[in-house]
Amino acid sequence: MRLTFLGATRTVTGSKYLLDTGSRQVLFDCGLFQGLKPLRERNWTPLPIDPQAIDAVVLTHAHLDHSGYLPLLVKSGFRGPVFCTRATRDLCAILLPDSGHLQEEEAERANRYGYSKHHPALPLYGETDAIQAMHSFRPLPYGEEFDLGDGIRARFDNAGHILGAAFVTVKRGGTTIVFSGDLGRPVDPILYSPVRIPRADVLLVESTYGNRDHPDIDPSLAFAAIVRRTAARGGTVVIPANAVGRSQLVMFYVHALKQANQIPDIPVFLDSPMAADATALFHAHHEDHKLDEAETSRIFGATRIVNSVEESKSIDRSDLPKIVISASGMATGGRVLHHLKAFASDAKNTVLFVGYQAAGTRGSAMLGGAERIRIHGGDVPIEAEVAVLDGLSAHADALEILDWLSGFDAAPRSTYIVHGEPAAADALQERIRGRLGWTTHVPEYREVITIS
Ligand code: ZN
């Protein structure tokens, strides 16, 4: 068998791994490249295989850096099934059409204001392409083996990263390949812990935080302090958050902190129609998380959902202290850009990041101390406090990754370190070699390995 690394090599986006048995071609994850321009341009580079020749796609979870290329694959001729968990399917039904819509909007705006060097600027795919792609989905429960042809069997196990996220274990002949997808935290107030995987001959493990350990303090204490001091200044806390995962965790903490009188009772807005839809899925998938129906209603019901653009604009005009949660999490697009335009230039406000900020994103620039960022072709000076809470991340830190790896009964023959920027991937490699003595490799883009 051959495995080709088509993304998430020395970067955190574009996850795609093609398994070729000689007669079957299966693509594991189908993610978009995001962030730095040379990476985004890879979305336009044809795959080294005709999409029509791919027999099936298997998704670890719904985040766009793992699923967002799928509408383009289908548009380019892929006709096979897409296997994933049930919650991943339901989340993709929200995320993928929105991704197509955002790309159409972005292309349209670039054409209107002439800020793209492409004339006309085109979207990678549109909303209808994404809706079309949803017909290919074959949702499955965790723990059930399924057939990918030519003797390939696979199963999903809970990865604890977001609703529906899974590790994929693939068996063919006597060989087992495990794809970690994104590895969640061992302790999370909403999601169950990642399950232990006993065996792999070949393992692909993510390394987003491979060079960092999340702070040991309770993230809710740091969060409360930020909200309190911003409110005391009469300011607004803008929280760029992924529609799926971080938005719900932030709502959970805001609710808990208000209940405990740790933060003032200021209004909380969720301005992301997608996040609102994703939140509704917590009612539909109780088997996948810890909250019962009453808790789900109470926690998520405490946030005001913003439904219209007019309402969204009225938030930006209001001068009262408040919390605004809005996507996207790395400020690469979405409604949060409008809130940053409204609030980032005033020192009384705070922009609070709660997830990983990939290189080249506005989030990464702001955390790096950028004095201004570019939004919709204009410059926005950054005067607001800019803060980050790594402790709210959906990704395991280096120690947590090592603990999960320690759960394997024996060392894999080879461990490939993916989904991390170079410093993170290299640091994790050192720690795995040092603590576990495993054979590891950090693959390059389009590297091909042979699995016997
Ligand atoms: Zn993810």
Side-chain angles (χ1 to χ4, degrees), residues 78 109 147 230 240 294 338 418:
F78 168 68
R109 201 179 288 120
D147 187 20
T230 308
H338 297 280
V418 295

Side-chain angles (χ1 to χ4, degrees), residues 363-419:
S364 164
M366 290 174 74
L367 285 181
E371 285 177 5
R372 52 182 52 77
I373 52 167
R374 230 174 147 68
I375 298 179
H376 302 150
D379 273 343
V380 178
I382 307 299
E383 297 293 340
E385 177 182 348
V386 176
V388 64
L389 277 179
D390 279 346
L392 292 188
S393 169
H395 292 269
D397 66 16
L399 210 53
E400 292 164 349
I401 296 171
L402 286 165
D403 283 345
W404 181 71
L405 295 177
S406 305
F408 282 79
D409 289 338
R413 283 203 307 260
S414 320
T415 297
Y416 295 90
I417 297 164
V418 295
H419 201 290

Side-chain angles (χ1 to χ4, degrees), residues 143-170:
E144 188 177 296
E145 261 201 8
F146 56 98
D147 187 20
L148 290 165
D150 196 25
I152 312 171
R153 309 280 300 165
R155 62 177 271 164
F156 295 113
D157 286 291
N158 183 14
H161 167 64
I162 58 165
L163 201 67
F167 305 127
V168 185
T169 300
V170 178

Side-chain angles (χ1 to χ4, degrees), residues 61 63 65-66 161-162 182 395 419:
H61 67 291
H63 278 152
D65 58 321
H66 295 258
H161 167 64
I162 58 165
D182 288 354
H395 292 269
H419 201 290

